[in-house]
Amino acid sequence: MTSTATAPRRSPARRRVLDTALALFYAEGIHAVGIDRIIAEAGVAKATFYHHFPSKDDLVCAYLEEQIARVREQAVPQGETPEERIVSVFEGVGEVTCAPGFRGCAFINAAAEYPDPDHPVRRVVADFRRWFKGLLEELLVAAGHPEPQRTAVALMTLRDGLTVAGALDDPAEARPAVRAAVAHLIRPAA
Amino acid sequence: MTSTATAPRRSPARRRVLDTALALFYAEGIHAVGIDRIIAEAGVAKATFYHHFPSKDDLVCAYLEEQIARVREQAVPQGETPEERIVSVFEGVGEVTCAPGFRGCAFINAAAEYPDPDHPVRRVVADFRRWFKGLLEELLVAAGHPEPQRTAVALMTLRDGLTVAGALDDPAEARPAVRAAVAHLIRPAA
DNA sequence: ACTTTACCAGACAGACCTGTCTACCTTAGG
DNA sequence: CCTAAGGTAGACAGGTCTGTCTGGTAAAGT
């Protein structure tokens, strides 16, 4: 009980499985990708997989938590004023939506496959959304915005719409429209 | 060759299958619902099913086309001025997102399960989005809006975000924010 | 009266799914 | 030396998936 309880969180095999799951689940959907496929592509034995992840659902949760971690480190708000930092967050989202291989928000897509809001997977999705909305609200408060809560909801709506448009329509089309809407929202009419 | 080629589009059994598919696919996801389940709940023999729908993909396309038809007849823009009609369209969307059993936009959810943009299912999704955006653009032109195309894209983003928020967050929270944003967009700053 | 058409019931094939289990290998610490 | 842990390889069970096929019923048009 000194070092590891049951599953060692640091392990090359586990890392390979998680990386493979990240790529396949995002690109093809969760129900569409089986365990056999993941372990084959990760070059890992089945027993090893089930040693690290008790069930597929656990892997799916780990996949989404990995996505949260990546978004968190990639979308660090940059800029001096809070307003600039909000803009930078949206520029980051816009960048991603226009990148090749973009297939929409991983959390929205996952939620589409998991109807039950109480399912562990949906809880991770909710965690992500709470965090993102909290970040926006925090920046709006720092900017002295008169209606931080309501505006955070509006910005969240723009983010979701931007990711959907990036996946289903021309990715470059929605970006300027969202950019303009964000600029207007964070600098409320005098 | 006088009346029916191969499949009679009007048929009680076909109707039952389509209604069942509509309910199950929307509520639980497409890959998660099997043919066996649909025919059992529709009270239809397997041979009958495959007589009307050559494959599951055909049923999925028919399901989405049925969704288009329902949205089309339910979201008829009402009001005297074009601006009022745009508002009425969004009020309709807002109504649906707050209704019990709402699980997001059927087309966004379906696209999450079908990665290939050239797949027939994705083509139906694209059809819907073209139609909806065209409707908004048309109304904006009728309203004499200076930037109908760009504004239609912005409105589309708001619609997508509203449906996502309705499914994943508090449905009533996003509605006023979107309402305000729509009001601002269709009445551009003087 | 005959034929076509729609429908039901259910077996069946072949593939794929998750998850368990056995058996063996390799490496590092005590 | 030897033991424990992480890993590989792969068979296996039990279920579900799509799609086909056989066989029989009932109604409607010609």
PDB file of all heavy atoms in Angstrom, chain B residues 2 12 51 60 101 122 133 141 162:
ATOM      1  N   THR B   2     -47.852   1.397 -62.723  1.00  0.00           N
ATOM      2  CA  THR B   2     -48.848   2.481 -62.671  1.00  0.00           C
ATOM      3  C   THR B   2     -48.860   3.187 -61.324  1.00  0.00           C
ATOM      4  O   THR B   2     -48.769   4.406 -61.257  1.00  0.00           O
ATOM      5  CB  THR B   2     -50.257   1.910 -62.928  1.00  0.00           C
ATOM      6  OG1 THR B   2     -50.452   0.812 -62.007  1.00  0.00           O
ATOM      7  CG2 THR B   2     -50.399   1.412 -64.332  1.00  0.00           C
ATOM      8  N   PRO B  12     -49.610   1.639 -43.067  1.00  0.00           N
ATOM      9  CA  PRO B  12     -49.666   1.719 -41.603  1.00  0.00           C
ATOM     10  C   PRO B  12     -48.414   1.143 -40.951  1.00  0.00           C
ATOM     11  O   PRO B  12     -47.904   1.715 -39.993  1.00  0.00           O
ATOM     12  CB  PRO B  12     -50.886   0.883 -41.230  1.00  0.00           C
ATOM     13  CG  PRO B  12     -51.535   0.468 -42.488  1.00  0.00           C
ATOM     14  CD  PRO B  12     -50.715   0.887 -43.640  1.00  0.00           C
ATOM     15  N   HIS B  51     -38.663  -4.659 -46.131  1.00  0.00           N
ATOM     16  CA  HIS B  51     -39.362  -4.382 -47.380  1.00  0.00           C
ATOM     17  C   HIS B  51     -39.481  -2.878 -47.598  1.00  0.00           C
ATOM     18  O   HIS B  51     -39.320  -2.377 -48.718  1.00  0.00           O
ATOM     19  CB  HIS B  51     -40.751  -5.022 -47.339  1.00  0.00           C
ATOM     20  CG  HIS B  51     -41.612  -4.664 -48.510  1.00  0.00           C
ATOM     21  ND1 HIS B  51     -41.350  -5.116 -49.783  1.00  0.00           N
ATOM     22  CD2 HIS B  51     -42.705  -3.881 -48.614  1.00  0.00           C
ATOM     23  CE1 HIS B  51     -42.257  -4.628 -50.616  1.00  0.00           C
ATOM     24  NE2 HIS B  51     -43.090  -3.873 -49.934  1.00  0.00           N
ATOM     25  N   VAL B  60     -32.587   5.638 -40.985  1.00  0.00           N
ATOM     26  CA  VAL B  60     -32.032   6.814 -40.307  1.00  0.00           C
ATOM     27  C   VAL B  60     -32.280   8.063 -41.154  1.00  0.00           C
ATOM     28  O   VAL B  60     -32.684   9.108 -40.633  1.00  0.00           O
ATOM     29  CB  VAL B  60     -30.522   6.628 -40.022  1.00  0.00           C
ATOM     30  CG1 VAL B  60     -29.951   7.887 -39.401  1.00  0.00           C
ATOM     31  CG2 VAL B  60     -30.300   5.438 -39.108  1.00  0.00           C
ATOM     32  N   GLY B 101     -38.331  16.178 -22.158  1.00  0.00           N
ATOM     33  CA  GLY B 101     -37.896  15.189 -23.145  1.00  0.00           C
ATOM     34  C   GLY B 101     -36.980  15.760 -24.198  1.00  0.00           C
ATOM     35  O   GLY B 101     -36.522  15.022 -25.069  1.00  0.00           O
ATOM     36  N   ARG B 122     -25.481  12.443 -43.296  1.00  0.00           N
ATOM     37  CA  ARG B 122     -24.929  13.787 -43.168  1.00  0.00           C
ATOM     38  C   ARG B 122     -25.481  14.723 -44.242  1.00  0.00           C
ATOM     39  O   ARG B 122     -25.603  15.939 -44.033  1.00  0.00           O
ATOM     40  CB  ARG B 122     -23.397  13.721 -43.240  1.00  0.00           C
ATOM     41  CG  ARG B 122     -22.764  13.208 -41.962  1.00  0.00           C
ATOM     42  CD  ARG B 122     -22.901  14.226 -40.845  1.00  0.00           C
ATOM     43  NE  ARG B 122     -22.157  15.427 -41.098  1.00  0.00           N
ATOM     44  CZ  ARG B 122     -20.883  15.610 -40.778  1.00  0.00           C
ATOM     45  NH1 ARG B 122     -20.229  14.661 -40.170  1.00  0.00           N
ATOM     46  NH2 ARG B 122     -20.276  16.733 -41.069  1.00  0.00           N
ATOM     47  N   LYS B 133     -30.995  28.074 -42.525  1.00  0.00           N
ATOM     48  CA  LYS B 133     -30.214  29.287 -42.741  1.00  0.00           C
ATOM     49  C   LYS B 133     -30.820  30.115 -43.868  1.00  0.00           C
ATOM     50  O   LYS B 133     -30.875  31.351 -43.796  1.00  0.00           O
ATOM     51  CB  LYS B 133     -28.769  28.910 -43.077  1.00  0.00           C
ATOM     52  CG  LYS B 133     -27.813  30.089 -43.005  1.00  0.00           C
ATOM     53  CD  LYS B 133     -26.400  29.659 -43.377  1.00  0.00           C
ATOM     54  CE  LYS B 133     -25.701  30.766 -44.128  1.00  0.00           C
ATOM     55  NZ  LYS B 133     -24.597  30.263 -44.963  1.00  0.00           N
ATOM     56  N   VAL B 141     -33.442  39.596 -45.519  1.00  0.00           N
ATOM     57  CA  VAL B 141     -33.501  40.388 -46.757  1.00  0.00           C
ATOM     58  C   VAL B 141     -34.825  41.145 -46.807  1.00  0.00           C
ATOM     59  O   VAL B 141     -34.861  42.349 -47.107  1.00  0.00           O
ATOM     60  CB  VAL B 141     -33.350  39.479 -47.991  1.00  0.00           C
ATOM     61  CG1 VAL B 141     -33.701  40.252 -49.259  1.00  0.00           C
ATOM     62  CG2 VAL B 141     -31.932  38.927 -48.084  1.00  0.00           C
ATOM     63  N   LEU B 162     -28.344  27.546 -28.503  1.00  0.00           N
ATOM     64  CA  LEU B 162     -29.554  27.427 -27.674  1.00  0.00           C
ATOM     65  C   LEU B 162     -29.975  25.970 -27.515  1.00  0.00           C
ATOM     66  O   LEU B 162     -30.323  25.529 -26.413  1.00  0.00           O
ATOM     67  CB  LEU B 162     -30.686  28.253 -28.311  1.00  0.00           C
ATOM     68  CG  LEU B 162     -32.037  28.244 -27.603  1.00  0.00           C
ATOM     69  CD1 LEU B 162     -31.907  28.724 -26.169  1.00  0.00           C
ATOM     70  CD2 LEU B 162     -33.043  29.112 -28.356  1.00  0.00           C
TER      71      LEU B 162
END
